[in-house]
Amino acid sequence: MSKVCDYYFAPHSPWSYLGHQRFIDIATKHKIKVAIKPCDLSRVFAASGGLPLAKRAPQRQAYRLIELQRWSDFLQVPLHVQPQFFPVPPDPAARLIIAAQIAHGNEVALNLSTAIMRAMWSEQKNIADEATLIGIACDADLDGKQLVKSAETSAVQGDYDSNTNDAIAANVFGAPWYVYKGEGFWGQDRLDFLEREFAR
């Protein structure tokens, strides 16, 4: 019986970006199957009492920028702490990832997630722009136009809604969030704890 870790994230989350490849590498190392679940953080925040960035206190917003730079330097993951296109609606990118998952499976969806988050946080691209998403998908050897078309279907929206409902039911209140054997781990800075559980 394969071991599975649910992976809740949002493509516009810098913390998801910073932890994404490390999480994939850890899961691969321990032969853990990843259940990829892009979700709507605005609904998660509404259900859990969280605040969108713009509504947080200035002190919290300022410290967030310091921490992002610290983690970027420490992990040696290139990141613009204030990218040109931020804030940005994450839904088109999230639905594109789900469309790739449906059509091509988890591995392709994870790779596309990498490309989308890198495009936003390292390359300063607008991941809410259709042409940009098509280009990112094409660069990942996918049919970008077809995938964007598929991302607009009710089936994809249904999966996006289900992922979000699952996140709320699992008491998720931020991203990234990992659930393994019923236990939640919030944030890329908890990956060491998650790996210890994988190794048990």
Side-chain angles (χ1 to χ4, degrees), residues 10 14 37 43-44 51 61-62 66 73 86 109 113 118 156 195:
K37 292 178 175 283
R43 282 185 55 205
V44 169
L51 291 175
Q61 293 190 41
I66 294 170
D73 294 342
F86 185 84
S113 301
R118 182 177 62 239
V156 168
E195 183 170 19

Side-chain angles (χ1 to χ4, degrees), residues 2 8 15 28 44 77 98 122 143 146 181 192 194:
S2 61
Y8 297 98
W15 307 109
T28 301
V44 169
V77 174
I98 292 169
S122 176
D143 185 337
Q146 180 57 48
K181 293 185 176 180
D192 286 346
L194 181 61

Side-chain angles (χ1 to χ4, degrees), residues 49-141:
L51 291 175
L53 180 62
K55 294 185 177 181
R56 296 175 195 167
Q59 300 95 319
R60 293 177 64 91
Q61 293 190 41
Y63 188 72
R64 170 184 170 276
L65 299 178
I66 294 170
E67 280 285 271
L68 284 174
Q69 191 61 61
R70 284 175 178 162
W71 277 103
S72 173
D73 294 342
F74 176 68
L75 297 172
Q76 296 187 326
V77 174
L79 176 143
H80 295 276
V81 297
Q82 293 181 297
Q84 181 178 355
F85 297 101
F86 185 84
V88 64
D91 301 332
R95 288 194 293 262
L96 190 72
I97 293 165
I98 292 169
Q101 179 189 29
I102 292 171
H104 304 289
N106 267 17
E107 185 175 351
V108 170
L110 285 168
N111 290 338
L112 181 60
S113 301
T114 302
I116 288 172
M117 289 190 280
R118 182 177 62 239
M120 177 174 179
W121 290 104
S122 176
E123 300 165 2
Q124 305 216 72
K125 294 181 180 178
N126 182 0
I127 64 167
D129 176 69
E130 182 176 294
T132 299
L133 289 175
I134 290 172
I136 293 169
C138 289
D139 288 344
D141 295 325

